[in-house]
Amino acid sequence: MDDINHSNKDNEREAADIQMVNEAYQRLLDSYLSSPHRKKVDIINKAFNFARQAHKGVRRLSGEPYIMHPISVAMIASAEMGLGSTSICSALLHDVVEDTDYTVEDIETIFGTKIAQIVDGLTKISGGIFGDQASAQAENFKKLLLTMSDDIRVILLKICDRLHNMRTLSSQPANKQYKIAGETLYIYAPLANRLGLNKIKNELEDLSFKYEHPGEYESIKNRLATTEKDRTELFEQFTEPIRTALDKMGMKYEIKARVKAPYSIWSKMQNKHVTFDEIYDILAVRIIFTPESKETEIDDCFKIYVAINKLYRSHPDRMRDWVNQPKANGYQALHVTLMSKQGRWIEVQIRSERMNDIAEQGFAAHWKYKSGEVGEDTELNDWLHTIKEILDDPQPDAMDFLDTIKLNLFASEIFVFTPKGEIRTMPAGSTALDFAFQIHTFIGSHCIGAKVNHKLVPLSHRLQGGDQVEILTSKSQHVDPSWINFATTAKAKAKIQAILRRNTREIQKAGENTLREFLEKHNMELTTSIINRLCELHDISKPEKFFYALGNKTIILGDKDIDELLERKSTSRWRKFVPFLGPEKKKEKKDPNKADDAPELFVVTKEFNRKKPFILNDDNLRRVIFPTCCRPIPGDDALGFIDNKNHLEIHRRDCSVAAKLKTSFGNRIIDVKWDTHRRTLFNATIHITGIDRIGLLNEVTGIISSQLNVNMRHLVISCNDGIFDGTIQLSVYDRADVGKIIESLKSIEDLEEINQIQ
C-alpha cells in the first residue's frame, strides 16, 4: 500500500512539474511573439525540447526541475533585455554542454555555428587544469571576455544567467552565497552598468547587498517603507506645476518618481559617513517624453529644461548634459537639480522614450533603433577592442587580471579633445600618459610630455573633462618602470607592464649569454649548480635576478668568481663527509609580535565541512588570522578565507580585499559566526571632527573613559582654522560597544561628525 501511495505522489509531482515547465515556456513564447523580432518559433521549440530532454530528471537545490533555470534565463533575455531567437536558444542550451554528455560540436551540428559559439562562451572551463593556487573564476571570466569580444550576446546572456542565480540564491549554503554575491558586486554589476543595463545593475547590487549584509538591507528597506508617504507627497507637490507647464506646451510625456536603491543608499551612508536621514537624493524625478519627430528630440529636451527652470531655481553646478555627449554605455539624458518649495534639492532627469529604453536596456535597446548590426556602435567596438588588448597580454596573477579589467572598463568617463578637436572618452582620473597610450602604443611608449590646453605638463598630469591634449614624443624615449606608478587606465598599465616584461626577458637573455661566454673562456660549462653558487656568492635569491643583473651590467664577473667556483669544485668531493663544514642551519626568526604561549594556527583539513559556518569563540580567536585590511570585530558581518597555507583569515564581508578574494578564489570562502562572550578585547578606531572650543576634548575623553569605562589606546588630535579633527583607538568587546560610544558622543555640542574607521 505504501508503495502505491509513494508511486501516486511521484506521479502527481511529475504532472505538476510538467505543468509548471509548460506554463513557464508558454510565457517565454508569449514574450518573444510580442517583441519586434522575426518570429523564428521553430528553432526555439527545437532548443527547448532538446534542453528539456538533456536535463531530464535533474533538479536544482531549490527542488524545481533544472529546465526551469534555462527557461528563466531565456525569459530575462527576451522580456528584460529585448534579445531575439539566437539569444533565447543559446539561453535555453547554455548549461547543456557543462552539465550533460553533449558537446559543443553536437550543438553546432543541430543548431548552427553562431548558437554553438555563444554556448561555448557561456560554458565554464572544466577538468583538472587548475593548480591549487590558480583562480578558476578568473580563468572563466577571461574565457567569457574572449568570446564576448566576438559576440556581445555572450556577456548579455551571462548577466541574465547571473541575475536568475541571484534571484534564487536563498537555496545555496552561506559560503556559496558570499562567493556568488561578492563576485556579482565586484564584476557583474559594474559590467551591467557599463553595458547600460541600469535596471539589472540595480537589482544585482541590491540582491548582493541582501545576502552579504541582511541586517542593513532589511533596515534600509523598512526605512524606505516608513518614509514612502512623505516622498509621495513631496513628489506630487513638486511635479504639479511641471505637469501644468508641459500641458501648456502640448508635450506628450510621463513623469515618474525614481527612488534610490537600498545598495546605493547604503554605499552613500558608508562613503559619506552619514545616516539615512541625511541622504537628500533618495527621490528623483524622471520626465519621459515623446518627441514631435526624431529630428526635434534634442531640442525638445532643452525646451522642457527651460520650462522647469522658470518654475524652480536650479543648482549651478549640478547640470549634466548627457544628451549631446552620451556616456560610453550609450546613456542619454539631461540632468538638472532643482530646489523644491519644501527646501529640498531634487534631481530631474529629462529623457525621450528612446533614451529611456536605452537607459533601462542598454546596448540591447540600441538594436530596436538601428537597422544594422551591433557592430555599428563605435563606443561598444572601442570598449571590446580595449578588452581584446588586455586579453592579448593578461596579468599573470588572477587578482591583478581582475583588477585590470575592473580598473577602467567600468569607471566613469570624461571627454577630452585631440589637437584637431576630435573627442576621446577617457576614464575619470586619467593622466596624460594614459591618453598617449589610448591614441597608440608607439606614441605612449615614446612620449616625453604633453601640452594640455597649450600648456606644458608632465606625463603624470591628471586630465579634466574638456581638456585639449597634445602628446610630445621622442624616438630616443623608452618606457620607464616609474610610469606604472601614475598610469591609471587598464590599457596603459597592461602595455607598460608588457613592454617592461619584454625588456626584462631581453636583458636576462643577454645576461645568460654573458655568463655562458665567461665560463667558456675558463673551460667551464653552464650548469644549475654553478648558477646557484654564483647567486649565493652575490647574495641574489633567484637565477632570473642574477641574469638580469648581468645583462644590466650591475654585476661584472671577474677572477673572484672563478676562484670561488674552482674552490667549491675542489672541496665538493670531501665536504660532504665533514658535517660540521656544511652550511649552517638557519635559525628561525622569532616574531616579536607573537606571544610565547600563542597557540598554533588552525589548519583547514580535507575533512573540514566548508558548507557549515565556522564558529568564532573566545577559545579559538587566537588560532585564526585577523588581517589589518579591515580589522573585523564581533558583531561585524564577516567571512573566512582559507589561505595558501590552509590557515583561516577573517575579513569583514564589505572589505575591499575580501571582495577580490570572493571573485578570484570563491571556493576558499567559508561562512563564520561570532559566539564571543565579552572576554576578548579588540581594537576599534573612531574619527571625530567638529568646531574647536575649550573643553571639547575633555568632554570627549570624559564620556569614553569615565562614563563608558572604555580604555583609549591611542589618541591623535589636530586643530586647523577652528576645525577640530581627531582619531581615537579604543579597546572594545564588539560592534555594539562602538555603536554605544558613537551614540554617546553625538550628545556633545559642536561635534559634527563621528564615524568608525575600517
Side-chain angles (χ1 to χ4, degrees):
M1 190 70 178
D2 288 342
D3 290 341
I4 295 172
N5 289 335
H6 190 69
S7 177
N8 288 337
K9 285 182 180 179
D10 286 345
N11 291 336
E12 287 173 9
R13 186 181 187 185
E14 187 176 347
D17 287 346
I18 292 171
Q19 184 179 351
M20 181 202 304
V21 170
N22 288 340
E23 287 175 356
Y25 180 60
Q26 189 58 51
R27 287 194 295 272
L28 171 63
L29 279 183
D30 292 344
S31 168
Y32 172 66
L33 290 170
S34 65
S35 73
H37 291 282
R38 288 176 292 172
K39 305 302 181 278
K40 297 183 178 179
V41 177
D42 289 345
I43 193 166
I44 294 176
N45 283 330
K46 187 177 178 183
F48 166 65
N49 290 321
F50 185 86
R52 180 164 61 175
Q53 185 61 35
H55 295 300
K56 188 176 181 180
V58 182
R59 294 185 179 275
R60 301 191 86 204
L61 287 178
S62 60
E64 66 182 16
Y66 193 89
I67 188 62
M68 288 296 293
H69 170 62
I71 293 172
S72 299
V73 174
M75 186 66 177
I76 294 170
S78 175
E80 299 183 49
M81 281 198 191
L83 302 179
S85 59
T86 300
S87 300
I88 291 171
C89 289
S90 301
L92 289 168
L93 299 165
H94 79 274
D95 277 336
V96 167
V97 173
E98 184 180 344
D99 296 340
T100 73
D101 294 331
Y102 289 105
T103 64
V104 175
E105 288 72 24
D106 295 330
I107 302 295
E108 184 173 8
T109 302
I110 301 168
F111 296 99
T113 304
K114 181 52 67 179
I115 291 174
Q117 182 187 20
I118 295 172
V119 170
D120 186 36
L122 291 165
T123 303
K124 293 190 187 79
I125 301 171
S126 57
I129 62 172
F130 299 110
D132 290 339
Q133 315 308 332
S135 170
Q137 283 167 277
E139 291 298 331
N140 282 323
F141 190 64
K142 198 181 296 182
K143 181 186 179 187
L144 189 71
L145 291 174
L146 277 167
T147 317
M148 180 187 89
S149 60
D150 294 323
D151 195 323
I152 193 66
R153 286 174 290 193
V154 173
I155 202 68
L156 293 175
L157 290 175
K158 184 61 184 178
I159 290 171
C160 295
D161 179 41
R162 177 51 56 112
L163 179 57
H164 185 249
N165 283 334
M166 288 301 297
R167 286 173 176 174
T168 56
L169 196 58
S170 59
S171 59
Q172 293 283 354
N175 64 320
K176 281 285 186 71
Q177 289 178 353
Y178 302 151
K179 176 255 182 187
I180 295 168
E183 188 180 65
T184 299
L185 205 55
Y186 192 74
I187 291 291
Y188 289 100
L191 194 51
N193 182 55
R194 187 59 179 76
L195 291 166
L197 303 165
N198 187 58
K199 193 174 178 182
I200 288 175
K201 184 265 294 186
N202 285 338
E203 187 176 354
L204 288 174
E205 287 178 341
D206 282 348
L207 287 169
S208 298
F209 177 39
K210 175 183 175 182
Y211 287 103
E212 293 217 276
H213 304 284
E216 285 94 332
Y217 175 80
E218 286 302 322
S219 174
I220 291 174
K221 288 277 284 186
N222 291 337
R223 291 300 303 274
L224 285 172
T226 56
T227 55
E228 184 178 5
K229 185 180 177 182
D230 293 338
R231 280 196 308 275
T232 303
E233 287 180 8
L234 176 62
F235 174 75
E236 294 298 336
Q237 291 168 5
F238 180 76
T239 57
E240 186 179 351
I242 295 176
R243 293 178 194 276
T244 303
L246 296 182
D247 288 341
K248 282 183 181 178
M249 294 167 62
M251 298 291 298
K252 292 180 182 177
Y253 66 90
E254 181 182 8
I255 299 182
K256 292 182 177 179
R258 184 232 65 179
V259 179
K260 204 172 186 71
Y263 175 76
S264 295
I265 294 172
W266 180 75
S267 294
K268 196 160 191 175
M269 289 167 64
Q270 300 299 307
N271 296 331
K272 303 286 186 183
H273 303 296
V274 294
T275 64
F276 181 92
D277 295 324
E278 293 172 299
I279 297 177
Y280 295 112
D281 62 345
I282 289 178
L283 174 69
V285 172
R286 284 186 184 141
I287 301 173
I288 303 163
F289 68 92
T290 305
E292 292 180 14
S293 66
K294 189 177 180 181
E295 290 71 26
T296 65
E297 186 182 43
I298 293 177
D299 288 342
D300 289 344
C301 267
F302 282 94
K303 282 179 184 176
I304 295 172
Y305 168 71
V306 171
I308 62 176
N309 259 275
K310 291 177 181 178
L311 301 171
Y312 299 105
R313 181 169 292 182
S314 62
H315 195 299
D317 300 323
R318 296 293 300 275
M319 196 274 191
R320 299 287 183 268
D321 179 8
W322 300 114
V323 173
N324 289 307
Q325 297 293 344
K327 289 186 179 183
N329 61 14
Y331 178 83
Q332 276 185 292
L334 203 57
H335 289 197
V336 59
T337 302
L338 304 172
M339 175 60 75
S340 69
K341 304 296 184 193
Q342 292 76 22
R344 297 279 295 271
W345 288 110
I346 297 179
E347 184 182 74
V348 179
Q349 302 166 357
I350 306 168
R351 308 172 176 173
S352 68
E353 288 175 333
R354 180 190 66 83
M355 294 173 189
N356 190 62
D357 280 347
I358 291 170
E360 295 296 320
Q361 294 185 324
F363 280 113
H366 277 280
W367 305 345
K368 289 194 286 185
Y369 299 98
K370 291 191 175 185
S371 55
E373 294 295 317
V374 185
E376 287 184 10
D377 203 305
T378 309
E379 291 284 4
L380 180 58
N381 283 338
D382 289 346
W383 191 61
L384 294 176
H385 182 68
T386 303
I387 287 175
K388 279 184 175 179
E389 288 189 328
I390 293 170
L391 293 169
D392 284 343
D393 192 22
Q395 301 297 316
D397 180 76
M399 301 268 283
D400 288 345
F401 167 73
L402 289 170
D403 271 349
T404 303
I405 288 291
K406 186 174 166 60
L407 183 65
N408 299 113
L409 295 185
F410 312 143
S412 55
E413 311 90 10
I414 58 172
F415 298 102
V416 294
F417 297 89
T418 67
K420 293 182 178 179
E422 297 171 358
I423 292 180
R424 292 294 177 105
T425 304
M426 298 290 293
S430 295
T431 62
L433 180 64
D434 295 315
F435 185 77
F437 275 99
Q438 182 72 16
I439 296 171
H440 198 279
T441 302
F442 180 84
I443 292 174
S445 58
H446 291 85
C447 61
I448 55 175
K451 284 184 178 180
V452 175
N453 304 326
H454 310 294
K455 291 182 180 179
L456 193 63
V457 297
L459 294 174
S460 58
H461 177 82
R462 288 195 180 275
L463 303 177
Q464 304 295 321
D467 282 347
Q468 188 170 27
V469 188
E470 179 186 355
I471 300 298
L472 308 175
T473 61
S474 169
K475 288 183 179 179
S476 61
Q477 175 71 299
H478 297 288
V479 171
D480 189 279
S482 66
W483 287 6
I484 204 69
N485 297 324
F486 51 83
T488 66
T489 64
K491 180 175 182 178
K493 278 183 175 289
K495 291 298 180 185
I496 291 167
Q497 288 171 337
I499 292 168
L500 290 175
R501 283 198 295 271
R502 187 171 65 240
N503 292 346
T504 299
R505 287 194 294 269
E506 290 173 358
I507 293 171
Q508 286 174 344
K509 192 68 181 173
E512 188 177 351
N513 291 334
T514 299
L515 177 59
R516 185 176 281 106
E517 291 170 4
F518 175 78
L519 293 173
E520 285 176 356
K521 283 183 183 178
H522 296 85
N523 298 317
M524 299 176 78
E525 289 185 11
L526 181 64
T527 62
T528 304
S529 60
I530 284 179
I531 295 170
N532 291 337
R533 287 174 203 158
L534 289 171
C535 285
E536 187 181 338
L537 177 64
H538 291 277
D539 197 24
I540 292 178
S541 58
K542 294 181 179 179
E544 294 82 7
K545 292 182 178 179
F546 180 66
F547 289 144
Y548 185 83
L550 282 177
N552 219 16
K553 305 263 188 316
T554 53
I555 289 179
I556 306 294
L557 296 172
D559 295 339
K560 182 181 176 182
D561 298 282
I562 289 298
D563 292 343
E564 177 68 19
L565 290 173
L566 291 173
E567 182 184 345
R568 289 285 183 97
K569 192 173 182 181
S570 63
T571 58
S572 61
R573 294 177 183 175
W574 55 268
R575 184 183 290 272
K576 60 184 176 182
F577 296 110
V578 189
F580 57 82
L581 287 179
E584 185 180 344
K585 187 177 180 180
K586 288 185 179 179
K587 294 180 181 178
E588 290 187 9
K589 289 185 179 179
K590 185 178 179 182
D591 185 354
N593 298 317
K594 194 174 181 181
D596 292 335
D597 60 344
E600 290 185 7
L601 290 173
F602 178 79
V603 177
V604 178
T605 61
K606 289 182 179 178
E607 290 73 31
F608 183 83
N609 188 345
R610 301 189 184 198
K611 292 183 179 180
K612 288 186 176 180
F614 180 83
I615 306 301
L616 284 168
N617 54 46
D618 294 296
D619 297 324
N620 63 22
L621 283 173
R622 296 178 68 195
R623 298 190 63 202
V624 296
I625 300 167
F626 287 90
T628 57
C629 51
C630 57
R631 294 185 173 89
I633 64 176
D636 283 335
D637 289 333
L639 55 78
F641 172 70
I642 303 167
D643 69 12
N644 293 340
K645 295 180 180 178
N646 288 323
H647 296 149
L648 201 56
E649 292 181 5
I650 308 300
H651 292 265
R652 287 169 54 106
R653 285 184 217 156
D654 56 359
C655 166
S656 58
V657 173
K660 297 176 187 177
L661 295 174
K662 284 179 280 189
T663 304
S664 298
F665 304 102
N667 61 322
R668 297 199 224 161
I669 298 295
I670 64 167
D671 184 22
V672 297
K673 302 291 185 200
W674 300 97
D675 185 28
T676 53
H677 299 87
R678 300 181 67 81
R679 283 162 41 196
T680 307
L681 287 166
F682 293 80
N683 290 337
T685 304
I686 60 171
H687 177 245
I688 55 176
T689 58
I691 300 167
D692 190 31
R693 61 173 169 80
I694 295 172
L696 181 61
L697 179 59
N698 190 42
E699 289 182 45
V700 170
T701 55
I703 283 180
I704 294 173
S705 298
S706 304
Q707 189 177 323
L708 299 174
N709 198 28
V710 173
N711 182 32
M712 290 185 293
R713 296 174 57 88
H714 192 65
L715 177 65
V716 178
I717 301 294
S718 64
C719 181
N720 186 25
D721 294 334
I723 300 299
F724 173 99
D725 189 278
T727 56
I728 309 170
Q729 190 179 90
L730 310 164
S731 292
V732 297
Y733 288 109
D734 53 31
R735 174 67 47 215
D737 284 352
V738 179
K740 187 177 179 182
I741 292 165
I742 290 174
E743 282 303 311
S744 298
L745 291 176
K746 285 181 179 179
S747 65
I748 298 176
E749 190 179 351
D750 294 329
L751 206 56
E752 298 294 326
E753 289 185 19
I754 311 151
N755 51 71
Q756 186 190 357
I757 299 174
Q758 307 301 350

